[in-house]
Amino acid sequence: MKYIFFTGIIAAVLSTAACTNAIKNKGHKAELITTNTEITDPKPDTTLKKEATAAEILSKKEVPVLCYHQIRDWKASDSKRAHDDIMPPAKFAEHMKMLADSGYRTILPDQLYDYLNYGTVLPEKPIMITFDDTDLDQYTVGAKELKKHGFRGVFFIMTVSIGRPRYMSKAQIKELSDDGHVIASHTWNHKNFAQFTDEDWDIQIDKPTKTLEAITGKKVEYFAYPYGVFKASSLSKLKEHGFKAAFILSTKRDENYPMYTIRRIIDPGTYTARNLYHSINKSFK
């Protein structure tokens, strides 16, 4: 009887220990799941939300969007007008530092789209930094300067230039995408959007989209008009060709298609950091 009694006690102890370990393991697993959930920053689910009307989009406070082209020192052969589109590297660094010191935080097109369409909350003092035309210095200077401040940008690529001297290569574009920047379309060869023919929708829009998607492995859903020029009667076709939004320069937004005429301002190479700060606050009230 004593043998049976002690055997029962041992069995009970082992059973209790097994249950305790199971509970601990289960608790540990739950803790891991909770931790992973906290690390993940899922995109807000907007599938069931109604998209904003044009009037509702126009009524919202505009988010500052900056536009840059070449980032290099001026040459003697550069015209005075060209200085607006050419930003000396030292000055670009000053401007990015000013934005960071002033509390600005960069956002990307999906965030802007969700804010305008669904009212998704943006970080305090949001700003978007964009680059046009595929110039190599946007990769060698621009992206590296953004990284110092934890910024991310949008690179509007003109695909005819990919791999040419003084322009970005496929590998560099892919690296920008992998680093969290957004790669978007700027046509094949910078043709004026207002002068598009029927065949240009394939040449200037669809083929560049396929090229960029093949390079990055990601969907291309945003577009910037060459010269900032758009044609109101053609705006609806951009949605048909897969774009969620498009960017102009500092002209007035279209009342019917504000999502396809999002305003940007050029940060001129002649500006001081203080000039830029005041320009942002004046242009995007």
Side-chain angles (χ1 to χ4, degrees), residues 18 29 33 37 86 88 95 169 172 181 189 193 199 226 240 284:
K29 183 177 182 181
I33 292 172
T37 302
I86 303 170
H95 290 198
S169 66
Q172 289 164 338
H181 303 286
N189 67 350
F193 181 82
E199 65 178 6
E240 296 172 13
F284 301 95

Side-chain angles (χ1 to χ4, degrees), residues 34 38 44 47 66 110 131 143 177 193 196 219 226 235 242-243 246 260 263 270:
T34 301
E38 290 173 353
T47 54
L66 304 181
D110 276 349
F131 302 86
S177 177
F193 181 82
F196 271 19
K219 291 187 71 175
L235 293 178
F243 292 111
Y260 292 91
R263 291 178 60 250
T270 54

Side-chain angles (χ1 to χ4, degrees), residues 49-68:
K49 293 185 178 181
K50 183 181 178 181
E51 291 187 353
T53 64
E56 289 170 338
I57 291 171
L58 288 168
S59 70
K60 293 183 179 180
K61 180 176 173 58
E62 289 184 87
V63 172
V65 185
L66 304 181
C67 177
Y68 295 92

Side-chain angles (χ1 to χ4, degrees), residues 9-285:
I9 291 174
I10 293 170
V13 171
L14 291 175
S15 176
T16 302
C19 290
T20 302
N21 287 336
I23 292 170
K24 286 183 178 179
N25 289 338
K26 184 177 180 181
H28 181 60
K29 183 177 182 181
E31 183 181 347
L32 287 177
I33 292 172
T34 301
T35 303
N36 288 338
T37 302
E38 290 173 353
I39 291 172
T40 304
D41 185 17
K43 188 176 182 294
D45 184 6
T46 57
T47 54
L48 300 179
K49 293 185 178 181
K50 183 181 178 181
E51 291 187 353
T53 64
E56 289 170 338
I57 291 171
L58 288 168
S59 70
K60 293 183 179 180
K61 180 176 173 58
E62 289 184 87
V63 172
V65 185
L66 304 181
C67 177
Y68 295 92
H69 292 87
Q70 298 180 56
I71 307 174
R72 62 168 176 81
D73 289 318
W74 296 334
K75 300 175 182 177
S77 58
D78 293 329
S79 67
K80 188 174 181 180
R81 167 63 185 82
H83 290 180
D84 284 344
D85 293 332
I86 303 170
M87 173 68 68
K91 189 164 288 190
F92 182 77
E94 290 175 7
H95 290 198
M96 293 303 105
K97 184 177 185 302
M98 180 278 293
L99 293 176
D101 291 346
S102 300
Y104 283 100
R105 295 175 61 186
T106 55
I107 64 167
L108 296 176
D110 276 349
Q111 292 171 277
L112 181 59
Y113 178 86
D114 288 344
Y115 159 71
L116 293 174
N117 246 333
Y118 307 112
T120 303
V121 177
L122 294 175
E124 188 177 356
K125 299 191 77 169
I127 196 164
M128 189 181 295
I129 299 173
T130 71
F131 302 86
D132 289 3
D133 298 347
T134 329
D135 293 271
L136 179 59
D137 46 51
Q138 297 171 5
Y139 168 84
T140 57
V141 180
K144 289 183 179 179
E145 200 61 45
L146 294 185
K147 189 173 183 178
K148 292 179 183 178
H149 305 288
F151 287 170
R152 295 290 181 271
V154 187
F155 293 80
F156 290 106
I157 303 297
M158 183 173 59
T159 54
V160 71
S161 300
I162 297 174
R164 290 184 174 181
R166 299 187 301 279
Y167 291 94
M168 285 187 260
S169 66
K170 290 181 179 180
Q172 289 164 338
I173 293 170
K174 177 68 163 59
E175 182 181 335
L176 289 173
S177 177
D178 291 346
D179 284 346
H181 303 286
V182 168
I183 301 301
S185 176
H186 198 44
T187 72
W188 174 57
N189 67 350
H190 214 265
K191 182 171 182 177
N192 190 322
F193 181 82
Q195 299 173 359
F196 271 19
T197 61
D198 288 343
E199 65 178 6
D200 282 323
W201 286 94
D202 180 49
I203 297 171
Q204 302 290 344
I205 299 295
D206 294 340
K207 286 182 178 178
T209 293
K210 291 175 183 176
T211 296
L212 295 174
E213 289 181 343
I215 292 171
T216 64
K218 301 175 184 177
K219 291 187 71 175
V220 171
E221 300 177 303
Y222 298 97
F223 177 75
Y225 304 92
Y227 316 105
V229 175
F230 67 93
K231 184 178 180 181
S233 61
S234 298
L235 293 178
S236 62
K237 293 190 70 172
L238 284 173
K239 186 172 184 178
E240 296 172 13
H241 286 257
F243 292 111
K244 293 168 66 174
F247 295 77
I248 57 175
L249 287 174
S250 57
T251 53
K252 186 179 178 181
R253 291 178 291 173
D254 185 86
E255 293 183 358
N256 297 310
Y257 294 96
M259 195 65 75
Y260 292 91
T261 50
I262 297 173
R263 291 178 60 250
R264 302 184 293 167
I265 59 170
I266 291 175
D267 179 8
T270 54
Y271 269 12
T272 64
R274 185 178 181 84
N275 290 151
L276 174 60
Y277 182 83
H278 289 306
S279 180
I280 290 171
N281 286 280
K282 181 179 179 181
S283 300
F284 301 95
K285 294 182 179 179

